[in-house]
RNA sequence: GCGCCAGUAGCUCAACUGGAUAGAGCAACGGCCUUCUAAGCCGUAGGUUAGAGGUUCGAGUCCUCUCUGGCGUACCA
């Protein structure tokens, strides 16, 4: 419908000179009595033309060559809106289109041929994923899905660091627990990893190797085994919520292949590096920032900035057209440094899209739960999935704008999980599946020849909702606003439930019944496709 | 102090990117199944969009200031 309007106005540009310069927007009015689409065009032209908006509106109408079979009427309303009411028979044509495209309906080839990298989760292997990581994981995977739907060839990447202080502490934490389980008296430091999972790993070592590891270096065997165990656990958790990475990028590779040295030398050549207090500093003040920052500590170890800059240069060199970095708001001060780094090295920062999601606040028994991996008072993603299920977890994180803080009330999620809106969507899908099965038994099948019979308010409203899907996917993907898909699906499901309450199938005239079945098939397809983007299952039974 | 994000119904959140009477779910109350899924539908009630200015035909949306909350502001990541 919208593209018809766009073409209509393109034609009119030949007659009305001022339309060529105008920015023409169409929107769906909240109030259905205002028609199917509306434009504020005449109002925006008031200033340019210095004329009455309603007068301009009339002139535009006089110059639109609309086919009455497509557009039933055009009205001027309020201060100067142009309202378009489409012919109901024309509106139904989308049902056939959805039938033809099936699982592909809603996809776009706008960005086909382009490669995108989405980096997310990227938690170091020091412990199980928490609920906080869960938001990052789900949002990242859904973003990747959406980019695929608009044509991108997407790689999902997990960046990690298995060296440095954190990992040394991890290795020694396991070793201490190992010795403790063997009966030795130990003094477990407060700043070591306190979680039960450390003891589990130690126990596993005893089961496999007895006490033969007593003399092993904490940074050797203990660290390695801890890393591999924890990574296996992380991958398992991710798999449970349908997330599979294409690539795990180890920070160490950046040292092994000389990337780190190359970055240091290149920055040095540009006089962006200097030594002070035994440390190496990055001259960010020369790049428009307030102060310089350390990139190599006096101990000789780099800060996160250096490897992160090096890592990003590999992203460019691997040929991605768009590079998406997703992280929590606790990192919001770090990316400008990294950005400045690769920009100084001559890479195009426009390709990098930084998406920051706000924190998840965990509420339990009416209180905010403060969490830290180190202190082990966190709630793991695993536990959450076990409690409420993968679909609820995915939907919960997908239904909110990334820039909003998210309150996750554990008790509510556990107790009232059946009241979660995800069930509302899944129910719509299951309901249609059931209807189709039942009607088939009555020898009624979808028929696309008499769609014009779908003329009631409920039917027309539902069909028009179907038009918004493709646009919603495109908008969500281009703007990284994942929650729009969930919002759209809720509206679609509501419209469907409304339709179904008013419009019976069995008992209606055969032509009408079969047209309604065709509509049900179309709705089912769109709900299923939408849930697929969100990574939520579309059950046939509930 | 400074930077980023937010503040909309009792609670959790929407609002088509500046449009027409600000909408859903939960919670409350009242209706609707002898036939296709009632995990549903319909109705009632609930609002000075944190506050004050400004921009314009028009502001929840943009600008300025104030207040409140979250996250940062490291030789942690």
């Amino acid at each position: 419908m919208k593209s018809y309007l766009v073409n209509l106005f393109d034609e009119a540009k030949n007659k009305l000179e001022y339309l060529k310069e105008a920015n023409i927007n169409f929107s769906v009015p909240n109030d259905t009595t205002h028609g199917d689409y509306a434009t504020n065009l005449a109002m925006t032209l008031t200033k340019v033309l210095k004329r009455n908006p309603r007068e301009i509106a009339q002139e535009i109408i006089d110059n639109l060559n609309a086919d009455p079979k497509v557009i039933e009427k055009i009205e001027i309303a309020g201060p100067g809106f142009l309202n378009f009411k489409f012919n109901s028979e024309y509106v139904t044509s989308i049902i056939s289109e959805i039938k033809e495209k099936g699982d592909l309906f809603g996809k776009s080839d706008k960005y086909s041929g382009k490669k995108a990298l989405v980096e997310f989760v990227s938690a170091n292997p020091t412990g199980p994923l928490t609920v906080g990581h869960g938001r990052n994981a789900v949002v990242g995977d859904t973003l990747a899905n959406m980019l695929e739907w608009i044509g991108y060839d997407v790689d999902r990447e997990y960046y990690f660091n298995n060296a440095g202080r954190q990992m040394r502490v991890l290795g020694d934490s396991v070793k201490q627990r190992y010795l403790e389980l063997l009966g030795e008296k130990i003094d477990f430091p407060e700043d070591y990893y306190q979680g039960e999972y450390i003891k589990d790993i130690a126990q596993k070592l005893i089961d496999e190797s007895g006490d033969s590891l007593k003399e092993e270096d904490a940074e050797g065997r203990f660290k390695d085994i801890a890393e591999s165990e924890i990574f296996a656990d992380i991958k398992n958790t991710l798999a449970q919520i349908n997330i599979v990475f294409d690539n795990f990028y180890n920070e160490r590779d950046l040292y092994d292949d000389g990337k780190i040295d190359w970055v240091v030398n290149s920055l040095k050549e540009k006089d962006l590096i200097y030594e002070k207090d035994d440390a190496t500093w990055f001259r960010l003040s020369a790049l428009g920032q307030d102060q310089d920052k350390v990139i190599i500590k006096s101990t000789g170890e780099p800060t996160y900035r250096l490897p992160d800059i090096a890592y990003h240069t590999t992203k460019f060199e691997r040929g991605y057209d768009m590079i998406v970095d997703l992280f929590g708001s606790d990192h919001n001060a770090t990316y400008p440094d990294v950005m400045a780094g690769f920009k100084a090295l001559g890479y195009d920062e426009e390709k990098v899209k930084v998406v920051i999601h706000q924190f998840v606040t965990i509420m339990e028994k009416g209180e905010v739960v403060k969490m830290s991996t180190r202190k082990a008072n966190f709630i793991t993603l695993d536990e959450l999935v076990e409690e409420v299920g993968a679909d609820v977890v995915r939907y919960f994180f997908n239904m909110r704008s990334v820039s909003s803080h998210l309150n996750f009330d554990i008790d509510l999620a556990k107790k009232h999980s059946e009241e979660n809106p995800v069930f509302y969507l899944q129910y719509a899908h299951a309901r249609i599946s059931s209807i189709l099965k039942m009607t088939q038994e009555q020898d009624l099948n979808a028929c696309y020849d008499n769609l014009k019979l779908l003329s009631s308010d409920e039917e027309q409203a539902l069909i028009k909702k179907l038009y918004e899907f493709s646009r919603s996917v495109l908008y969500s993907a281009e703007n990284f606003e994942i929650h729009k898909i969930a919002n759209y699906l809720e509206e679609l499901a509501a419209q469907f439930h409304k339709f179904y309450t008013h419009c019976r199938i069995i008992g209606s005239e055969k032509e009408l019944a079969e047209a309604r079945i065709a509509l049900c098939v179309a709705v089912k397809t769109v709900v299923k496709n939408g849930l697929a983007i969100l990574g939520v299952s579309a059950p046939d039974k509930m």
Side-chain angles (χ1 to χ4, degrees), chain A residues 100-289:
Chain A
E100 278 163 37
K101 293 188 176 161
D103 290 348
L104 301 177
F105 179 76
K107 288 200 174 177
S108 141
D109 57 4
K110 185 168 178 186
Y111 296 93
S112 62
K114 303 243 183 216
K115 282 178 65 185
L117 179 74
V118 181
E119 183 218 324
F120 61 111
V121 185
S122 294
N124 287 337
T126 58
L129 295 181
T130 65
V131 172
H133 295 121
R135 186 176 197 183
N136 189 290
V138 169
V139 169
D141 190 56
T142 300
L143 279 176
N145 287 346
M146 290 193 311
L147 294 175
E148 283 171 343
W149 272 68
I150 63 170
Y152 278 102
D153 177 10
V154 180
D155 282 332
R156 293 163 172 78
E157 187 160 280
Y158 187 124
Y159 174 70
F160 70 100
N161 170 14
N162 59 356
R165 199 187 104 80
Q166 271 190 327
M167 294 302 289
R168 284 198 299 276
V169 171
L170 177 71
D172 203 32
S173 297
V174 174
K175 181 168 182 179
Q176 295 305 315
R177 291 301 187 200
Y178 173 83
L179 296 174
E180 184 180 45
L181 285 167
L182 288 172
E184 292 194 15
K185 254 203 141 74
I186 57 150
D187 187 15
F188 200 80
E190 214 173 281
D191 63 344
Y192 271 31
Y193 291 93
Q194 306 285 339
E196 284 299 314
Y197 64 98
I198 299 289
K199 294 178 189 170
D200 294 343
I201 294 168
Q203 185 60 52
K204 193 170 178 197
L205 283 174
I206 291 174
D207 294 345
E208 284 170 4
S209 319
D211 63 357
S212 65
L213 300 174
K214 273 187 171 176
E215 304 305 316
E216 285 282 340
D217 188 354
E219 281 194 57
R221 207 48 212 287
F222 285 99
K223 196 196 85 176
D224 290 347
I225 201 91
E227 181 190 334
S228 64
E229 286 292 319
I230 290 168
F231 245 135
D233 184 56
I234 287 173
K235 286 179 190 175
N236 180 50
T237 302
L238 291 171
Q240 281 189 52
I241 49 173
N242 308 317
I243 297 174
V244 177
F245 280 90
D246 297 293
N247 197 21
F248 284 81
Y249 198 106
N250 189 338
E251 180 184 318
R252 186 163 52 200
D253 294 347
L254 299 166
Y255 295 87
D256 294 348
D257 65 16
K259 262 282 167 218
I260 298 285
D261 291 339
W262 178 81
V263 168
V264 172
N265 292 332
S266 302
L267 291 176
K268 200 173 284 176
E269 273 171 31
K270 295 177 190 296
D271 193 30
L272 291 169
I273 273 183
Y274 62 92
E275 306 284 330
K276 193 180 92 181
D277 303 333
D278 293 329
T280 304
W281 293 70
F282 183 18
R283 202 188 300 280
L284 281 163
S285 58
L287 300 170
Q289 290 198 26

Side-chain angles (χ1 to χ4, degrees), chain A residues 291-362:
Chain A
Q291 46 184 323
D292 298 341
K293 299 272 175 64
V294 170
I295 60 165
I296 301 175
K297 299 183 242 177
S298 52
T299 60
E301 279 185 301
T303 62
Y304 71 89
R305 294 183 188 90
L306 180 51
D308 272 13
I309 292 166
Y311 173 46
H312 274 83
T313 66
T314 77
K315 292 184 180 181
F316 288 105
E317 281 165 18
R318 285 182 279 159
Y320 292 106
D321 299 291
M322 180 161 70
I323 295 163
V324 180
D325 290 355
L326 174 68
F327 39 66
S329 61
D330 54 337
H331 282 54
N332 83 70
T334 67
Y335 78 89
D337 301 355
V338 176
M339 209 103 155
F342 59 71
K343 190 179 174 189
L345 295 173
Y347 293 97
D348 179 9
E349 88 274 19
E350 292 291 319
K351 284 186 179 177
V352 177
K353 305 293 177 193
V354 175
V355 180
I356 294 178
H357 64 83
Q358 296 300 310
F359 261 41
V360 179
T361 305
I362 304 294

Side-chain angles (χ1 to χ4, degrees), chain A residues 356-386:
Chain A
I356 294 178
H357 64 83
Q358 296 300 310
F359 261 41
V360 179
T361 305
I362 304 294
M363 304 288 291
E364 194 165 29
K365 297 187 178 75
E367 285 183 18
V368 175
V369 181
K370 289 275 179 200
M371 302 205 294
S372 130
T373 305
R374 186 70 59 82
K375 291 179 185 158
N377 60 349
F378 52 84
I379 293 161
T380 67
L381 187 51
D382 252 351
E383 289 164 351
L384 187 67
V385 172
E386 201 177 312

Side-chain angles (χ1 to χ4, degrees), chain A residues 464-521:
Chain A
K464 284 165 189 167
K465 207 76 207 168
L466 295 171
Y467 277 89
E468 295 172 32
F469 182 59
S470 307
R471 194 197 54 127
S472 178
V473 172
L474 184 63
Y475 181 83
S476 301
E478 286 182 330
N479 296 283
F480 308 115
E481 295 197 16
I482 56 169
H483 66 293
K484 302 275 183 183
I485 302 275
N487 293 161
Y488 167 77
L489 290 175
E490 284 177 35
E491 288 168 12
L492 178 66
Q495 210 57 252
F496 170 75
H497 289 308
K498 203 172 285 191
F499 151 79
Y500 184 66
T501 306
H502 288 88
C503 304
R504 313 298 284 180
I505 294 173
I506 293 169
S508 301
E509 300 276 326
K510 186 174 165 72
E511 285 80 12
L512 178 58
E514 297 199 320
R516 283 177 176 167
I517 294 171
L519 174 55
C520 286
V521 171

